[in-house]
Amino acid sequence: MLRVAVVGSGPSGVYTAQALLNQSLVPEVRVHVLDRLPTPYGLVRYGVAPDHEKIKSLQNSLRAVLEDERVTFVGHVQIGGADGVPPARLAELYHAVVYCVGAAADRPLAVPGEELPGSCSATRFVSWYSAHPDSAPDDFALRARSAVVIGVGNVAVDVARILARGADELRATDVPRAALGALAGSRVHEVHIVGRRGPSQARFTTKELRELGALPGARIVVDPAELARDPAYAAPDGLPLPAVVRRNLEVLRGWAVRGEPAPSGAAYGPSGAAHGPSETVYGSCGAAHDPSEAGYGPSGAAYDGVRRIRLRFFLRPVELLERGGRVAGVRFARTVPDGAGGVQDTGTYEDIEAQLVLRAVGYRGVELPGLPFDPVRGTVPHAAGQVLRDGVPSPGEYVAGWIKRGPTGVIGSNRSCAKETVASLIEDAPLLARRPAADDPLAVLRAWGQRPVEWDGWLSIERAEQALGRSLGRGPVKIPDWSGLLAAARGEER
């Protein structure tokens, strides 16, 4: 029998377990799927937006794998770190270990003012409205009137859509109580989605983009002049473009033709005086900061009850502006295409007022002490999924998912990635099977100070979340904190 540990219960981890079950060269395989959290499904539970119910339903297929009798879910087990099990010791318990730990960090903007209160990562915002237990329930007060989301991928579109949605539209989802309350009281009515390059180079999918235009109570604003700067925008129909790019441009063209005043902001040239935002109302990534005036938007116009989502292009962030010790806006350099697929600055700038700034410019892998790590790529060095130590293959150690290939692709990309890794593992199986492995790894983990939550514990959490939702007149509502999750796993009432 081959005993394999898979570290991480998100799609890459579960697809790895599934590939191990489906292979036929090694007939007897037992898989323990370990996770730091007491809950399975990774980013499907804590990263997919709550209003994307079809994508979240992927949990059902992941669940089928985790309920297989050859698979054991082992939550609330820390691998690495001061309180965790080092990879070298974990390797003593199993014939092989596959690390599917994703890319937990976000990429910084690396501009002055990024550390100001009110400036946060989109990852943190997503964790908040997804009830991740590492996120404080009161992390976002949403007292800002204007928000800037920097980035033009699906994550940027997700957070902008959640900011622009009414709380009543999210009441039927599993959004936690505190987040739903903050969204109900949100004063955000201007959301700017800003990219440094043009619309043809944006990374969002057409489905995500169109969803913005379908939001009740929201209006999309696109500046035709910014679209026209993109050579692909005015390209003839016969010019070969990826299908998703052509569809995105069609959607943006329709919004631009509809007509809406172009976004307002303080613009000036290299010798002009820098005029930052005039607002004094601040948002929060921490404690609430109530505004004293809530009737006017960034340009001074009265709020008409319609939230505006402004898609901006060819603007590169160079500084976050400060007032009263908090973020008050973003200074952007105007860019133009450089003819080689990139952009170059024009020497002019624009300030966009914002009391909340969310950066959504990508994820990055984090080093797991005890495993080799490439700090440039943010991945573990490997050959077809087998970990390389000093360039030499390390039998028994493997990677799959974002920690293997970087934060690229969609959820389905993890299937082929997992199959490649499992093929490498199975090729090593004759050697691995001769190694010692623990008969009861969970007993050893408990002896080492871990307190695993198994599948029955997760089912108890599910029941507690269903009961919480019933008490609120809603469907299942996520428990947002560690103590609540662990109490629910033990079957304790709160």
Side-chain angles (χ1 to χ4, degrees), residues 110-363:
V111 300
E114 187 172 10
E115 74 290 344
L116 286 168
S119 165
C120 309
S121 70
T123 305
R124 182 171 165 185
F125 187 66
V126 170
S127 293
W128 171 73
Y129 68 62
S130 297
H132 195 291
D134 288 344
S135 177
D138 60 351
D139 223 4
F140 290 85
L142 299 184
R143 301 300 189 185
R145 300 184 211 158
S146 177
V148 166
V149 182
I150 300 175
V152 283
N154 280 346
V155 173
V157 174
D158 274 351
V159 299
R161 190 180 66 256
I162 296 299
L163 283 169
R165 268 204 187 280
D168 286 343
E169 302 166 56
L170 294 171
R171 198 172 303 280
T173 72
D174 60 5
V175 168
R177 284 180 290 177
L180 189 66
L183 290 165
S186 171
R187 298 182 182 181
V188 175
H189 55 261
E190 295 272 352
V191 182
H192 306 257
I193 305 175
V194 188
R196 65 184 178 89
R197 298 194 292 180
S200 68
Q201 295 168 309
R203 303 298 296 272
F204 39 65
T205 58
T206 309
K207 178 180 180 295
E208 294 265 358
L209 186 62
R210 285 176 174 151
E211 284 179 336
L212 291 178
L215 293 175
R219 185 168 181 82
I220 309 300
V221 183
V222 182
D223 186 352
E226 289 184 342
L227 300 183
R229 291 188 176 97
D230 193 324
Y233 181 69
D237 291 341
L239 186 70
L241 288 173
V244 65
V245 172
R246 191 173 295 281
R247 290 194 299 266
N248 286 347
L249 293 178
E250 289 173 358
V251 173
L252 293 167
R253 185 179 288 110
W255 288 336
V257 168
R258 186 177 59 196
E260 173 92 5
S264 59
Y268 48 89
S271 60
H275 297 291
S278 58
E279 282 287 339
T280 58
V281 180
Y282 302 111
S284 175
C285 293
H289 195 114
D290 288 329
S292 58
E293 173 62 53
Y296 295 91
S299 62
Y303 176 37
D304 59 5
V306 176
R307 288 188 168 112
R308 282 168 173 76
I309 302 174
R310 303 184 183 274
L311 284 101
R312 305 296 310 275
F313 299 98
F314 295 112
L315 291 171
R316 181 178 65 84
V318 295
E319 182 183 1
L320 271 60
L321 305 173
E322 175 267 340
R323 177 171 286 111
R326 303 181 61 83
V327 70
V330 186
R331 180 158 298 156
F332 292 94
R334 169 63 69 187
T335 65
V336 292
D338 62 5
V343 292
Q344 60 188 17
D345 290 357
T346 64
T348 59
Y349 301 86
E350 178 178 338
D351 292 348
I352 297 180
E353 179 192 331
Q355 301 85 38
L356 174 64
V357 177
L358 300 173
R359 61 180 181 274
V361 292
Y363 296 94

Side-chain angles (χ1 to χ4, degrees), residues 24 48 63 89 218 227 296 307 407 442 483:
S24 58
V48 174
R63 183 189 196 101
R89 296 199 73 183
L227 300 183
Y296 295 91
R307 288 188 168 112
L442 269 65
S483 60

